[in-house]
Amino acid sequence: MNVIRKIIFLTTLCGVVSGLCAQNISISTTKTSLVLSAPVGEELKYIYYGSKLSEADFRAINSAEKGNLSAYPVYGLNCPSETALAVQHSDGSMALQLEVVNVETSRQKDADLTIISLKDKVYPFYVKVCYKAYQDVDIIETWTELSHQEKKNVTLNQFASAYLPIRRGNVWLSHLYGAWANEGRLLQEPLEPGMKVIKNRDGVRNSHTAHAEVMFSLDGQPVENSGRVIGAALCYSGNYKLRIDTDDSEYHHFYAGINEDNSTYHLKPGEVFRTPELALTYSDEGLSGSSRNFHRWARLHKLANGTKLRKILLNSWEGVYFKINETGMSQMMSDIASLGGELFVMDDGWFGDKYPRRTDRSSLGDWVVDKEKLPSGIGGLIDEAKKQGINFGIWIEPEMVNTTSELYEKHPDWVIRAPGYELVAGRGGTQVVLDLSNPKVQDFIFGIVDNLMTKHPEIDYIKWDANMPIMNHGSGYLGKGEQSHLYIAYHRGFESICKRIRSKYPDLTIQACAQGGGRANYGVLPYFDEFWVSDNTDALQRVYMQWGTSYFFPAIAMASHISATPNHQTFRTIPLKFRIDVAMSGRLGMEIQPKDMTGEEKELCRKAIAEYKEIRPVVQLGDIYRLVSPYDKLGVASLMYTSPEKDKAVFYWWKTEHFRNQHLPRVKMAGLNPQGNYRIRELNRIDNQPLIFEGQIFSGAYLMANGLEIPYDHLVDRNKKSDYSSRILYLLEVSVSDVNK
């Protein structure tokens, strides 16, 4: 037992035995520490969160830092400030005053679990404040478990997962905002007096307009690879609310949890209400350092099959939209196989019997093959995929139904609707949401996947879509007194379905597509292998969206596809080289009709796919270093990935605007071994001659101090010139003997 563990043990023992001694507890990862004061019979207090404390500093904090702020503020006594928890007891009282009952610690696989049990001083109302400190990544998850033994229900009016005070100073907030087809936009702003609220009320999807993840830069305006940063990510698939209250104290007060708006919860005696986890990380290596922590945690603990390399695929959507037929699907499979791809995904439009799916106005819920379109069925397509040497995937939207469908005719009571009111429909004017609080609906949705996989176990990939929010409030399953539970019950049902699917089909690849990037969230990703960043495949706009998304999510989870030009969303004309170079910074795929491409374009894609396979382990499993942000408006964006061993790296450079006689910054690299030596190789080269540094060897120290001079334009024939330019460089560490040759 090391010294800090002895201190924790002794202070815990002292508190339990006498209730008089101060009981400070340290919750630590490899490089971070969270310190709380938890004396039995008194309030749980926050003391410290930051870089890992030495044994001497922990002892000093025990005597010098008393902890003036509650670690989980509650409403009712001394309550002018914001709180994490507010309840109404069964007798109408709204007061709470929590005291520490005990502290338990245990070792789980790869993590230490600390549970601090609290009890109200008057009522039999209980709160467990839980912390899970990973020992292989610098992440601490925290959540609460609420219960009571009162005679009647207790009303939960506010129920945040966690609270964290952040010392005032020159603190900046980095967070994401956007809209459909413009997701993951980065906004950075100083924290000023007043209240900052980031929230979602969609009901189904939660990351189109904002994200439940933030970063706090503690040393002024955010910097990518230096400076102290606290990152936070709420792991919840439903409505959330993040609050940052900068009051007249010395702190910014950060609260994160389920959005309580229209979600008052009536907690039964003996029932346990578990709030979603808030993941916290701290880094003194800037924003990118915090991102690297989130990415490692995601791959190892929070993303389905997070260490398994993703396949290169062709999706049929932008190639044919609803015009699916057997001949067309076979042709697309043959094309992606010839380009070196590994997977074909048939998108929307393959199903419906009484109501064949021709548009988005019918058929959702009727998950049977349209035999007119696909006479040989799914089995025939799988046979064709096998013949081509690739895998097969399929699109579904199981949470939704069209009012023009056999399912709706049979089960109109299965949809979310306000009794007595006309249905408000979404996409196509006929789409509504199934009530996932209903166990029968949960069984039906599980059955959609289970039936597909039972009949066709060779299916390798499912694209799971969700194209509308909850637009009607009302559940035919929940009781009259539980209608305010709808949003929470929906996502409990969603999670239950996902758990059943993952338990039976752990190796099935599932993409979270929610009208694009609506489900980029760590409440979803334990059950999904990746998400669709956006329905917008425009490469230039993707630079911005994927940049923002990378703050919290690793490349292995970010589906990024080469699409047609003019782009189907922005109608912008972008050269294929640039489109490829952007797509290769995430999980590479194609969203295009290959038969419309020229032979030269196909050859460029074939070469890119082969080279992506070479760099795929570095991109999908490596460490990110963002170098020049497109949001800084310097005319260029640049980032790189390095392998954990730092023996390989991939450098990306995209020109984001074009002017004559412009001056772009020379980009310094990062994340390399300063003592190592790296040979440079350009990927996807279209220039008539290699870059001047092609094949040259540079030290990591030189590249990180100076970078390389990237030409602003491509040296190509005049008829191939454009205003776009991009580069991908592959860096391989070489031996000393290679350097001396």
Side-chain angles (χ1 to χ4, degrees):
M1 185 181 295
N2 64 33
V3 174
I4 284 189
R5 287 184 181 272
K6 287 181 180 177
I7 293 170
I8 295 170
F9 173 77
L10 292 173
T11 53
T12 301
L13 180 64
C14 180
V16 170
V17 172
S18 69
L20 300 175
C21 302
Q23 179 186 343
N24 284 1
I25 55 176
S26 177
I27 299 161
S28 298
T29 66
T30 304
K31 295 181 180 178
T32 71
S33 292
L34 172 66
V35 180
L36 304 171
S37 172
V40 171
E42 297 183 27
E43 187 177 13
L44 178 66
K45 296 289 186 71
Y46 166 87
I47 292 180
Y48 170 86
Y49 180 54
S51 58
K52 187 157 187 177
L53 296 175
S54 67
E55 297 167 3
D57 283 335
F58 183 78
R59 289 194 299 268
I61 279 181
N62 279 340
S63 58
E65 301 283 353
K66 302 304 180 185
N68 296 318
L69 296 170
S70 172
Y72 193 68
V74 297
Y75 182 82
L77 299 175
N78 190 24
C79 52
S81 301
E82 288 287 311
T83 55
L85 178 65
V87 309
Q88 185 170 19
H89 298 283
S90 56
D91 65 0
S93 172
M94 297 182 67
L96 275 178
Q97 189 176 23
L98 300 177
E99 61 183 10
V100 176
V101 176
N102 63 26
V103 178
E104 302 172 73
T105 61
S106 61
R107 186 65 187 264
Q108 299 184 326
K109 182 182 179 182
D110 302 321
D112 292 336
L113 180 64
T114 301
I115 299 176
I116 305 165
S117 296
L118 312 175
K119 180 190 175 298
D120 184 71
K121 289 191 175 183
V122 174
Y123 292 87
F125 186 90
Y126 308 94
V127 177
K128 289 184 177 180
V129 183
C130 307
Y131 297 92
K132 184 176 183 179
Y134 289 90
Q135 299 306 298
D136 54 353
V137 291
D138 287 308
I139 295 282
I140 297 172
E141 294 176 8
T142 178
W143 68 94
T144 56
E145 297 175 2
L146 314 175
S147 63
H148 71 92
Q149 294 297 333
E150 300 186 31
K151 294 181 179 180
K152 297 181 180 179
N153 291 353
V154 171
T155 301
L156 305 181
N157 294 315
Q158 195 168 56
F159 32 90
S161 295
Y163 159 74
L164 184 71
I166 297 170
R167 183 63 167 81
R168 286 179 70 165
N170 190 8
V171 178
W172 282 61
L173 174 70
S174 297
H175 60 106
L176 305 180
Y177 73 99
W180 172 80
N182 192 26
E183 297 92 339
R185 304 287 298 202
L186 176 65
L187 179 61
Q188 297 176 318
E189 55 188 325
L191 285 179
E192 303 288 354
M195 177 74 80
K196 174 75 176 180
V197 177
I198 301 170
K199 62 182 176 64
N200 174 267
R201 295 179 59 173
D202 180 284
V204 176
R205 305 83 48 89
N206 68 6
S207 57
H208 277 307
T209 58
H211 269 250
E213 306 89 30
V214 294
M215 289 189 189
F216 300 95
S217 295
L218 308 183
D219 300 314
Q221 192 163 353
V223 178
E224 281 295 344
N225 293 296
S226 64
R228 299 174 301 146
V229 172
I230 292 173
L234 184 69
C235 308
Y236 187 56
S237 60
N239 295 355
Y240 60 81
K241 183 181 286 185
L242 311 182
R243 293 171 286 150
I244 305 165
D245 182 24
T246 303
D247 58 13
D248 57 350
S249 73
E250 297 294 339
Y251 288 86
H252 307 285
H253 305 277
F254 174 58
Y255 302 83
I258 294 173
N259 190 338
E260 71 280 2
D261 292 350
N262 301 307
S263 292
T264 301
Y265 196 89
H266 307 290
L267 187 66
K268 298 180 178 68
E271 179 185 2
V272 177
F273 185 97
R274 189 185 191 277
T275 64
E277 302 94 339
L278 178 71
L280 296 170
T281 191
Y282 171 87
S283 175
D284 59 8
E285 297 179 356
L287 298 170
S288 287
S290 186
S291 294
R292 291 190 287 275
N293 291 344
F294 278 127
H295 294 182
R296 291 173 192 142
W297 167 72
R299 290 190 296 263
L300 292 174
H301 302 288
K302 216 68 177 179
L303 175 65
N305 302 306
T307 59
K308 182 180 178 181
L309 293 176
R310 305 300 194 246
K311 297 181 179 71
I312 300 164
L313 63 85
L314 170 64
N315 184 275
S316 71
W317 179 242
E318 287 190 12
V320 299
Y321 291 103
F322 291 105
K323 297 177 182 178
I324 279 174
N325 60 68
E326 202 163 277
T327 301
M329 298 299 95
S330 296
Q331 169 259 313
M332 294 185 84
M333 283 190 270
S334 174
D335 285 338
I336 188 60
S338 70
L339 296 176
E342 301 154 322
L343 170 68
F344 173 74
V345 180
M346 179 174 63
D347 210 287
D348 196 355
W350 59 268
F351 54 94
D353 183 13
K354 180 179 178 181
Y355 302 103
R357 181 78 161 174
R358 300 289 187 267
T359 70
D360 59 8
R361 294 188 291 274
S362 75
S363 313
L364 287 178
D366 301 345
W367 301 104
V368 293
V369 173
D370 182 344
K371 287 291 187 177
E372 184 178 334
K373 289 184 175 182
L374 304 172
S376 301
I378 295 171
L381 295 178
I382 291 174
D383 289 342
E384 179 63 27
K386 288 180 182 177
K387 178 181 174 183
Q388 298 294 342
I390 60 173
N391 294 92
F392 180 80
I394 196 166
W395 179 96
I396 56 173
E397 191 175 0
E399 298 162 75
M400 308 292 165
V401 64
N402 290 117
T403 53
T404 305
S405 68
E406 293 183 75
L407 178 67
Y408 184 76
E409 291 174 348
K410 185 178 180 181
H411 291 293
D413 56 315
W414 278 10
V415 307
I416 294 174
R417 67 187 310 155
Y421 294 87
E422 186 175 343
L423 268 173
V424 179
R427 185 187 186 211
T430 64
Q431 184 165 322
V432 290
V433 184
L434 290 170
D435 184 357
L436 270 61
S437 71
N438 186 335
K440 292 182 180 179
V441 174
Q442 294 174 27
D443 289 342
F444 171 76
I445 294 175
F446 171 77
I448 294 169
V449 175
D450 193 39
N451 291 337
L452 277 171
M453 297 304 298
T454 300
K455 293 177 183 176
H456 309 289
E458 302 93 341
I459 289 176
D460 184 69
Y461 181 105
I462 285 178
K463 180 179 179 179
W464 180 307
D465 215 336
N467 279 302
M468 69 170 286
I470 291 176
M471 300 175 70
N472 307 268
H473 194 115
S475 168
Y477 174 76
L478 298 173
K480 292 181 179 179
E482 297 180 326
Q483 290 300 307
S484 62
H485 295 190
L486 174 60
Y487 291 121
I488 294 171
Y490 183 94
H491 286 277
R492 286 178 174 175
F494 175 67
E495 184 176 40
S496 176
I497 295 163
C498 291
K499 284 181 176 178
R500 289 174 67 184
I501 292 170
R502 273 303 172 200
S503 177
K504 190 167 183 180
Y505 304 104
D507 298 322
L508 175 65
T509 300
I510 310 178
Q511 182 193 81
C513 176
Q515 199 178 23
R519 276 184 168 162
N521 183 275
Y522 283 114
V524 173
L525 292 179
Y527 316 107
F528 291 80
D529 301 72
E530 63 179 35
F531 57 88
W532 187 220
V533 175
S534 177
D535 279 342
N536 185 348
T537 57
D538 177 85
L540 180 60
Q541 197 161 347
R542 275 286 186 129
V543 169
Y544 291 83
M545 293 189 291
Q546 292 176 190
W547 186 276
T549 305
S550 77
Y551 275 81
F552 303 98
F553 302 99
I556 195 171
M558 294 166 54
S560 184
H561 293 182
I562 304 164
S563 62
T565 194
N567 180 262
H568 288 201
Q569 293 79 41
T570 66
F571 305 101
R572 197 183 342 252
T573 297
I574 298 177
L576 181 59
K577 157 73 172 170
F578 193 94
R579 286 178 273 147
I580 289 173
D581 285 358
V582 172
M584 282 179 64
S585 65
R587 192 277 289 140
L588 178 64
M590 299 185 74
E591 194 86 15
I592 200 168
Q593 178 55 276
K595 72 178 183 180
D596 295 336
M597 300 169 68
T598 67
E600 185 178 7
E601 288 173 331
K602 288 182 180 179
E603 183 57 34
L604 184 57
C605 285
R606 187 178 295 110
K607 183 172 181 285
I609 287 172
E611 292 184 325
Y612 184 78
K613 289 176 181 177
E614 189 175 356
I615 65 172
R616 176 162 47 185
V618 182
V619 175
Q620 295 188 5
L621 304 177
D623 294 325
I624 192 170
Y625 292 84
R626 288 180 297 269
L627 306 174
V628 178
S629 171
Y631 293 92
D632 289 342
K633 299 179 180 179
L634 298 174
V636 67
S638 182
L639 59 80
M640 63 191 298
Y641 300 99
T642 66
S643 65
E645 301 79 15
K646 299 185 182 296
D647 60 335
K648 302 179 183 71
V650 185
F651 170 88
Y652 295 85
W653 183 97
W654 304 286
K655 190 168 64 172
T656 56
E657 57 186 31
H658 182 74
F659 300 98
R660 294 305 302 168
N661 198 28
Q662 69 184 136
H663 301 284
L664 303 179
R666 180 161 167 158
V667 181
K668 298 177 183 178
M669 298 187 186
L672 302 173
N673 175 10
Q675 283 77 45
N677 295 284
Y678 297 87
R679 190 186 302 277
I680 310 297
R681 174 180 145 212
E682 184 182 10
L683 306 184
N684 304 337
R685 180 167 70 86
I686 62 170
D687 294 54
N688 292 334
Q689 63 186 46
L691 293 170
I692 193 169
F693 44 74
E694 175 74 25
Q696 298 297 314
I697 296 173
F698 298 87
S699 72
Y702 177 86
L703 293 170
M704 291 191 289
N706 300 281
L708 296 170
E709 196 68 68
I710 307 294
Y712 293 3
D713 303 292
H714 290 292
L715 183 62
V716 294
D717 295 341
R718 187 174 182 83
N719 66 318
K720 295 181 180 180
K721 287 185 177 294
S722 78
D723 53 343
Y724 285 87
S725 179
S726 59
R727 306 283 177 175
I728 302 178
L729 304 180
Y730 190 26
L731 285 65
L732 283 173
E733 190 172 16
V734 298
S735 65
V736 175
S737 60
D738 289 327
V739 176
N740 294 330
K741 285 181 180 178

